[in-house]
Amino acid sequence: DTAVSQTPKYLVTQMGNDKSIKCEQNLGHDTMYWYKQDSKKFLKIMFSYNNKELIINETVPNRFSPKSPDKAHLNLHINSLELGDSAVYFCASTADRTNTEAFFGQGTRLTVV
Amino acid sequence: DQQVKQNSPSLSVQEGRISILNCDYTNSMFDYFLWYKKYPAEGPTFLISISSIKDKNEDGRFTVFLNKSAKHLSLHIVPSQPGDSAVYFCAALRIQGAQKLVFGQGTRLTINP
């Protein structure tokens, strides 16, 4: 009955590979997000979708492509992985695009070797 | 160009005493400020928020104070309990089209028995 769930929790992969992280929320929220926690521990927004529509796209390399098949899911696909992509990626959701309280998943620790 | 900063990476407090976590920001256009709590291997969870038009918000043992002239906010926890040991993230939000949380780098709070 986890509100926001991400899979996998840990992901170790080689440079150059393509990988996906999945996120699902069962809260009935309209808006979902991907955040990246870098080596300096800052959490920074990458993307946001509202009802399957992309509404926030920060300066993120084109190798990162979010996909929202429905408003309960927001997956993150990463092509040609680089060492610098190693980080913890958090999915989150809010009731709507202006709601202040975000619910986060447990994070996916991506390690690129 | 971090707009939200938490300058103390860690804080240690004795059980029963007051914990004070600090946060500074640079953008005077933020509409809300929030505190999130994060345990290891879990995602951040919402703790308390304050609107930019207020200077204090209280919820049980947690109180957030906002000083707009100083661009500073603080979270007070009293009395501190061992279960409060976690990383606390300060975040700011400007509601302009879409919600986009801007996080500080976190402060690790340790409550000693």
Side-chain angles (χ1 to χ4, degrees):
Chain A
D1 61 343
T2 303
V4 181
S5 59
Q6 299 176 225
T7 54
K9 193 168 183 178
Y10 300 97
L11 182 55
V12 181
T13 187
Q14 290 186 321
M15 273 195 313
N17 283 351
D18 302 338
K19 290 293 179 186
S20 293
I21 307 172
K22 295 186 176 182
C23 179
E24 176 182 4
Q25 54 93 5
N26 62 6
L27 297 166
H29 286 174
D30 286 344
T31 312
M32 296 184 72
Y33 311 80
W34 277 108
Y35 284 83
K36 177 181 179 181
Q37 186 177 27
D38 60 24
S39 57
K40 295 182 180 178
K41 304 301 182 186
F42 285 99
L43 271 159
K44 294 183 179 177
I45 191 165
M46 301 172 68
F47 301 103
S48 175
Y49 270 73
N50 186 69
N51 277 322
K52 303 193 299 176
E53 177 189 355
L54 180 66
I55 56 172
I56 294 176
N57 185 350
E58 292 294 287
T59 307
V60 177
N62 291 337
R63 298 181 295 103
F64 290 79
S65 54
K67 285 187 172 51
S68 182
D70 54 63
K71 75 173 192 176
H73 296 83
L74 181 61
N75 304 323
L76 183 65
H77 189 76
I78 316 171
N79 290 326
S80 304
L81 278 155
E82 300 178 357
L83 293 176
D85 297 332
S86 296
V88 182
Y89 293 84
F90 288 97
C91 177
S93 72
T94 55
D96 56 52
R97 61 196 297 165
T98 62
N99 189 270
T100 59
E101 185 177 345
F103 291 78
F104 283 80
Q106 80 275 28
T108 296
R109 181 175 293 278
L110 171 66
T111 304
V112 182
V113 297
Chain B
D1 64 338
Q2 289 299 329
Q3 297 184 66
V4 178
K5 290 183 181 178
Q6 294 173 256
N7 293 317
S8 298
S10 62
L11 176 66
S12 188
V13 175
Q14 196 164 7
E15 183 179 358
R17 299 287 186 101
I18 184 170
S19 296
I20 301 176
L21 297 114
N22 294 304
C23 178
D24 297 298
Y25 61 95
T26 57
N27 188 345
S28 58
M29 301 298 289
F30 286 127
D31 299 301
Y32 287 92
F33 300 90
L34 304 91
W35 286 93
Y36 280 81
K37 178 179 179 179
K38 184 182 180 305
Y39 292 118
E42 294 184 11
T45 55
F46 171 77
L47 191 59
I48 191 169
S49 66
I50 187 168
S51 165
S52 62
I53 63 173
K54 296 191 174 182
D55 54 20
K56 178 182 175 181
N57 188 26
E58 189 172 352
D59 183 2
R61 296 185 299 114
F62 303 93
T63 303
V64 57
F65 295 93
L66 176 62
N67 182 336
K68 285 191 289 293
S69 60
K71 294 192 176 67
H72 177 84
L73 67 152
S74 60
L75 174 67
H76 292 213
I77 307 173
V78 56
S80 300
Q81 299 174 354
D84 296 330
S85 294
V87 176
Y88 288 79
F89 288 95
C90 170
L93 175 63
R94 185 176 180 197
I95 299 179
Q96 185 190 33
Q99 188 250 66
K100 185 168 73 173
L101 284 169
V102 180
F103 283 90
Q105 67 271 53
T107 296
R108 181 177 299 280
L109 175 64
T110 303
I111 305 301
N112 301 308

